[in-house]
Amino acid sequence: MAQLISRLRVWRGLVLLLAGVYFLVPMGASVWFSVDTNHGIDFAAYTGLLSAPGFLDSLVLTLELAAVTVAVLLLLLVPALIAARLGSARLRAVLEVVCTLPLVVPPVALTAGLIGVLRWGPDYLMDTPLFQTFVFVQDPKFPLVLVIAYVLMSLPLAYRALDAGLRAVDVRTLVEAARNCGASWPRAVLTVVLPNLRGALLNASFLTLALVLGEFTASSILGYQPFAVWIYTVGNSQGQMSVAVSVLSLLITWVLLLLLSTAGRERRRNTTTH
């Protein structure tokens, strides 16, 4: 038995070593490329980011889009999934099919469909109040059409994260207990069910945030310039700066993942203590 455990540790260490090499070698090469110049090591690609044209605008736009996307997604999914848990199993099956359907639709096809709708609207709704809606969702300052695309793209990821959290919680029993204690339906959901879904909510939010930070296809085809498109644009003229931004965005994503993992561990520790 001890020999088997020793072998498992060796294989686990080997797998971790290979994974570390797989991730760290490209990362190190990218960092070296971003600071290596003909005159030696230079961090100008990093120090000049804040003054780079369009950097802050694209970053702020992406973070705003991500925040709105997360909010819309949670407001749509959480009540629907809780209602499905409290309802019939058929409703859960229908909801699963609807939420996982975007997995089989490529982003290019999804964007082409959005473009078709946006072109159809002005032709047939020019004389109606709905025409202003088409104009509003395409506002370059905050393109809501990208939020629609991001919500559809991140729907399967968020659904899986929330569904896994709900499977670990007896929603019906929690709600019935809260109702027997005199709580209303909204209060039972807000004060009893949602605190037990904190980890699932964080996972869904993080996955959505990661998708929005790295999404390129839809925003590029629709003609907007969030952070990923800005990195690509800068890469055509300033290769080192684009790599520096990519490295920083990857580090930000890792930091968020570590914060999420830490929050999950603290939550489990508090639950175990109490």
Side-chain angles (χ1 to χ4, degrees), residues 16-74:
L16 290 176
L17 178 63
L18 291 176
V21 171
Y22 181 80
F23 286 105
L24 293 179
V25 169
M27 186 77 173
S30 299
V31 173
W32 179 253
F33 173 78
S34 62
V35 299
D36 184 32
T37 65
N38 294 330
H39 306 290
I41 303 299
D42 190 355
F43 292 93
Y46 293 91
T47 57
L49 281 178
L50 291 179
S51 59
F55 171 73
L56 286 178
D57 292 338
S58 61
L59 181 59
V60 170
L61 174 62
T62 300
L63 293 178
E64 290 176 346
L65 290 171
V68 175
T69 302
V70 170
V72 172
L73 202 59
L74 294 182

Side-chain angles (χ1 to χ4, degrees), residues 113-162:
L114 287 174
I115 292 175
V117 173
L118 294 175
R119 288 177 178 174
W120 169 85
D123 293 338
Y124 293 92
L125 303 174
M126 179 67 74
D127 299 327
T128 68
L130 290 176
F131 174 73
Q132 293 300 324
T133 303
F134 282 85
V135 176
F136 179 71
V137 299
Q138 299 178 74
D139 186 356
K141 294 181 180 178
F142 190 80
L144 280 174
V145 65
L146 284 185
V147 175
I148 297 173
Y150 293 161
V151 167
L152 292 174
M153 291 178 186
S154 55
L155 195 59
L157 304 176
Y159 169 78
R160 288 301 179 195
L162 293 174

